[in-house]
Amino acid sequence: QSQDNKTKAEPAPLSSLHEALRPPTRPDLPESELNPRMTFDRFVINKSNHIAAEAAQSIADYPATVYNPFLVYGGVGLGKTHLLQAIGNACQQRGYRVLYVPSEAFTNDLVNAIRNRTTAMFREKYRSVDVLLVDDIQFIRGKDTTQEEFFHTFNALVNFNKQIVLASDRHPRELETLEDRLRSRFQGGLVADIGQPEYETRIAIMEMWAGERSLDIPHDMLEMIADRSSNSIRELNGMFNQIAARVRMNAGRNLSMYRAEATLNRYEKPREQITVPQIIDVVAQAFNMEAKSLTGKKRAARINQARQVAMFLAREMTEASLPQIGDYFGRSHTTVLHGCNKIEEEIEADPVLATRLQRLRNQITGGV
């Protein structure tokens, strides 16, 4: 045998106990679909999130080795989901079996498993992964059966050296109806918070977004958006999208500050006045079809695109979660996530679709 053949025959050394304990390779779980845009490269680090971001990067580099479990907490739209999915994307690229779920989906799965007597399959699904990412874990408080099952899932994964990452809107000690045994386990790893982004960070984020879309947005316009949006990255993204779409619609003509302010004034209509059914109705009418087509079972290409546009706008313009949006369409949270990701990718390359989305937003918020 040649030296080359001998080298090929030698097994590669295992990097860690985590790797050694991995189950046989299986197809990726459908719920493990992650937003490819939510990576560490696109996460802007600042004083309010640097500890959480550095910990997340360490976990992605060394799953189940440095911080396990890891819980990140903070208000709505500050980047918790981005960090979870960045970990998931990095680990998935390295061959780990990743499962990302909102806690509502975990509960729904458990209910279905109990109803259909498939709890063994449920446990296999959640306990055979390398990295489990659970978003909005606060929603399991007060749900005794869910907490019981998650407690055993948590223990099984930790015992087999698998990584657990959680996101919550508050510190575990503030989850009053969470069982003490779960609270102690959540606090047994690393708990890190994410605060509101500073003014300079908001501008840096928008400059990154503008560069990715090859848009020339005046700095004073970015400053205006940063002044008006201080609560969350999600709110900032929503406002930026309004201006970005208006810039594209102007087709090379400069967008005045007056027009930009008028656009944001229409967008800032209170979100509680906008509902998912309202969005479904507006989108259906714009695509010249009945609302029931978007919530029905037909999968024709034209209906699919309209449905995905409605899902995308529902996620952007309401506070509904992925499972809640899915309920309106008769789809799973995974389907909603896939639809939102697809539209997000398409508007980057399709100015016609971006313009159409802006017109739909204007209709939904009562603009012209």
Side-chain angles (χ1 to χ4, degrees):
Q1 275 189 327
S2 67
Q3 185 63 35
D4 285 345
N5 288 337
K6 287 180 181 178
T7 303
K8 289 178 182 177
E10 293 174 357
L14 292 174
S15 58
S16 66
L17 175 61
H18 173 84
E19 190 73 19
L21 289 171
R22 292 181 65 195
T25 302
R26 302 176 187 180
D28 284 338
L29 295 163
E31 289 85 356
S32 68
E33 180 178 350
L34 301 165
N35 187 336
R37 292 171 55 79
M38 288 188 177
T39 61
F40 288 112
D41 290 342
R42 298 190 70 256
F43 189 86
V44 178
I45 298 176
N46 58 74
K47 288 188 293 186
S48 66
N49 65 26
H50 73 97
I51 294 177
E54 289 170 10
Q57 183 66 70
S58 297
I59 289 167
D61 292 339
Y62 306 102
T65 303
V66 285
Y67 308 117
N68 196 22
F70 172 55
L71 186 147
V72 57
Y73 72 95
V76 174
L78 296 179
K80 303 185 300 295
T81 297
H82 191 137
L83 277 186
L84 260 65
Q85 296 216 9
I87 293 171
N89 276 313
C91 290
Q92 205 169 61
Q93 287 174 5
R94 294 175 56 204
Y96 291 105
R97 195 161 184 257
V98 175
L99 176 56
Y100 165 84
V101 290
S103 66
E104 288 177 272
F106 181 90
T107 299
N108 292 341
D109 275 359
L110 177 58
V111 170
N112 290 333
I114 294 171
R115 181 189 301 125
N116 300 321
R117 299 181 181 180
T118 56
T119 51
M121 293 175 62
F122 170 88
R123 288 165 184 162
E124 171 69 10
K125 169 183 173 178
Y126 283 94
R127 301 179 191 184
S128 64
V129 297
D130 299 314
V131 181
L132 177 63
L133 310 160
V134 184
D135 214 344
D136 292 323
I137 194 65
Q138 72 271 7
F139 289 130
I140 73 169
R141 68 186 191 276
K143 299 174 182 175
D144 295 341
T145 304
T146 298
Q147 291 192 47
E148 177 74 21
E149 191 60 44
F150 191 76
F151 172 78
H152 294 298
T153 296
F154 186 102
N155 286 343
L157 290 173
V158 170
N159 288 341
F160 282 94
N161 204 37
K162 308 298 177 68
Q163 179 69 53
I164 299 174
V165 183
L166 310 169
S168 173
D169 65 352
R170 67 202 75 176
H171 195 283
R173 65 171 171 263
E174 296 175 6
L175 299 174
E176 297 87 359
T177 54
L178 187 70
E179 291 182 4
D180 288 341
R181 58 181 181 172
L182 275 178
R183 185 182 293 108
S184 66
R185 279 162 174 76
F186 291 174
Q187 295 179 204
L190 177 67
V191 177
D193 71 311
I194 294 182
Q196 293 182 358
E198 300 91 348
Y199 175 81
E200 294 80 8
T201 301
R202 299 197 294 274
I203 292 178
I205 291 171
M206 288 188 289
E207 287 176 341
M208 177 185 71
W209 290 339
E212 290 173 344
R213 303 183 192 187
S214 300
L215 291 175
D216 184 16
I217 301 179
H219 191 74
D220 57 350
M221 207 166 285
L222 296 181
E223 290 178 335
M224 178 195 69
I225 302 171
D227 280 331
R228 295 177 67 150
S229 173
S230 60
N231 293 329
S232 71
I233 302 299
R234 189 173 301 164
E235 181 185 62
L236 184 72
N237 188 44
M239 290 189 176
F240 176 84
N241 283 339
Q242 314 309 307
I243 301 302
R246 183 62 69 178
V247 168
R248 286 188 185 276
M249 290 169 68
N250 271 24
R253 290 174 284 123
N254 290 333
L255 176 66
S256 69
M257 287 292 290
Y258 172 80
R259 282 289 182 190
E261 288 179 355
T263 298
L264 293 186
N265 287 339
R266 286 196 299 270
Y267 177 73
E268 288 181 314
K269 180 179 180 180
R271 281 188 165 200
E272 57 267 22
Q273 295 184 24
I274 300 173
T275 65
V276 178
Q278 177 188 350
I279 290 172
I280 291 173
D281 288 340
V282 171
V283 172
Q285 186 176 7
F287 279 82
N288 198 26
M289 61 182 68
E290 295 183 9
K292 65 182 180 182
S293 297
L294 303 189
T295 58
K297 296 183 178 180
K298 291 184 179 178
R299 299 172 58 86
R302 181 166 159 273
I303 295 176
N304 264 348
Q305 186 184 42
R307 184 181 293 127
Q308 289 169 348
V309 164
M311 290 175 174
F312 176 84
L313 291 174
R315 192 180 189 196
E316 178 185 85
M317 302 183 74
T318 76
E319 297 297 338
S321 65
L322 291 175
Q324 288 169 342
I325 294 171
D327 288 343
Y328 284 103
F329 291 89
R331 264 70 179 177
S332 69
H333 76 280
T334 311
T335 302
V336 177
L337 181 61
H338 172 76
C340 293
N341 291 348
K342 192 169 187 296
I343 294 299
E344 190 173 356
E345 290 173 6
E346 288 180 358
I347 59 177
E348 296 296 324
D350 187 352
V352 174
L353 178 59
T355 299
R356 189 172 199 179
L357 279 166
Q358 182 59 31
R359 287 175 179 154
L360 287 168
R361 292 187 189 102
N362 290 343
Q363 285 180 263
I364 293 165
T365 57
V368 179

